[in-house]
Amino acid sequence: MSDPRRAIPRTDAVLADPAVRPVAARVGRAHARRVVRETQERARAGGLAPEAVVDEVAARLAALAASATTLRPVINATGVVVHTNLGRAPLTPAAREAVVAAAGYVDVELDLARGARAARGRGTLAALREQVPGAGGALVLNNGAAALLLATTALAAGREVLVSRGEMVEIGDGFRLPALIESAGARLREVGTTNRTGLADYAEAVGPATAAILKVHPSNFRVEGFTSAAPVAALAGLGREHGIPLVVDIGSGLLRADPLLPEEPDAATALREGADVVTASGDKLLGGPQAGLVLGAAELVERLGRHPMARALRVDKLTLAALEATLRGPDPFVHSAIHVGADELEARTRVLAERLAGRGAPVEVVAAEGRVGGGGAPGVPLPGWALALPEGYAAPLRLGDPAVLARTEGGRCLVDLRCVPVEEEALLVEAILAAGC
Ligand SMILES: *Cc1c(COP(=O)(O)O)cnc(C)c1O
């Protein structure tokens, strides 16, 4: 009698099998060999027929390849557009393609025509300057916090930065801008009060130790009632008088004013009103990848770019590619999700409700407000509609495949279509039906 274990295929034969070879290439040779060895072991122990080894290896490698990252896609049914816990802005199709295209070798620091080294990310910086003609210079850093850190450190390390007491903000998860700025050596000098700070407060505080004036947009909260803040133009004037630069952290990254968000500052306006340096995030209202933008007077921005810290805060080629594609492409998803009309949302919601009700789901259509979220336009409600389901749907939706994050409110589970791309509606319907089982 022949030993059935002798029928177990050899490692090289398994790896060369047409069913295995393509998936093995995706997970890499070392992982593939380990999976083959483990599967052969099982067959030797009698737990698997020798002729099933190849199929088993192919299936395990395919599963490995599919779960190369533990990050799972989520359908955002919360109505919160810039959702920090969901990675803020989803990239545009063009930006996604640009990331894939930039994943290999690219000429990020090379001039192919001359065969010589070239300025890193020059295409992205040019796109930024085209979008904001008032900016003589531009830099792209890791995030908004990095942009602010570099600006205050390069301009004011060891000296003082004037900032309104009402703008000493915490940006989330326990991180506070004052602590961030002081961690790199600039000293903050608070002026004014929590609710009111005027130009005179800054003027009184300016002294020989003052190196810069900082204005921070309070992007994630609103102070209502008896409030005032010094406008950019007035602060710029004070700065010029004393020969010190004005840094404006606009936070959300609007490059131009958006009539729907009248209280949201934008880079073009801040520069026109006299800001010397503007800092912002790339993945809030700009709708691009995580990044920090520095825009401003050419020689100041150049000085920031030469500071040693700039090297530690710089972005990779994937971010540069995604940002350029966002800037040069059509309106990003964040923009359309904020601007979509309530009527359009209602129509989409009613169509889905009918499909769901037709298949037995206990669904209603209700008016519901969305939010910009993510530290932008805190007081601005976005009128819209939602599917209302029993609260018990929320957990199974979250745990489903695809995962769906809804909003629970007033004992109900609200599914808001504002941030759900039309092409994901069919998936969403199936996910809701599965959650009801
Ligand atoms: C969001 C925000 C930051 C931080 O930007 P990140 O991109 O999250 O690092 C800084 N300042 C303001 C005013 C913000 O709104």
Side-chain angles (χ1 to χ4, degrees), residues 91-104 106 317-318 321-323 325-326:
L91 295 183
T92 60
R96 292 171 200 225
E97 280 170 27
V99 168
V100 173
V106 284
K317 59 185 178 173
L318 302 182
L323 182 59
T326 305

Side-chain angles (χ1 to χ4, degrees), residues 28-115:
R29 199 143 181 97
H31 283 308
R33 282 186 170 277
R34 179 175 54 76
V35 169
V36 173
R37 271 199 308 277
E38 286 168 7
T39 312
Q40 288 166 329
E41 285 301 321
R42 271 175 60 201
R44 265 182 223 114
L48 191 72
E51 56 277 14
V53 166
V54 165
D55 284 350
E56 174 68 9
V57 166
R60 283 193 53 198
L61 290 180
L64 257 182
S67 61
T69 165
T70 56
L71 288 174
R72 295 190 50 208
V74 177
I75 292 183
N76 176 7
T78 61
V80 179
V81 180
V82 182
H83 200 301
T84 303
N85 300 154
L86 296 181
R88 290 193 182 162
L91 295 183
T92 60
R96 292 171 200 225
E97 280 170 27
V99 168
V100 173
Y105 293 121
V106 284
D107 60 346
V108 65
E109 273 182 37
L110 184 75
D111 180 340
L112 287 169
R114 290 188 300 119

Side-chain angles (χ1 to χ4, degrees), residues 5 26 76 78 87 95 113 130 137 140 146 173 176 182 205 234 333 360 370 415:
R5 286 177 300 182
R26 280 172 61 200
N76 176 7
T78 61
E130 279 163 35
V140 181
D173 201 20
R176 295 175 171 177
E182 297 202 312
F333 186 80
V415 173

Side-chain angles (χ1 to χ4, degrees), residues 2-22:
S2 72
D3 183 348
R5 286 177 300 182
R6 296 182 62 180
I8 296 171
R10 294 158 43 102
T11 303
D12 289 343
V14 176
L15 289 173
D17 191 282
V20 170
R21 210 169 42 206

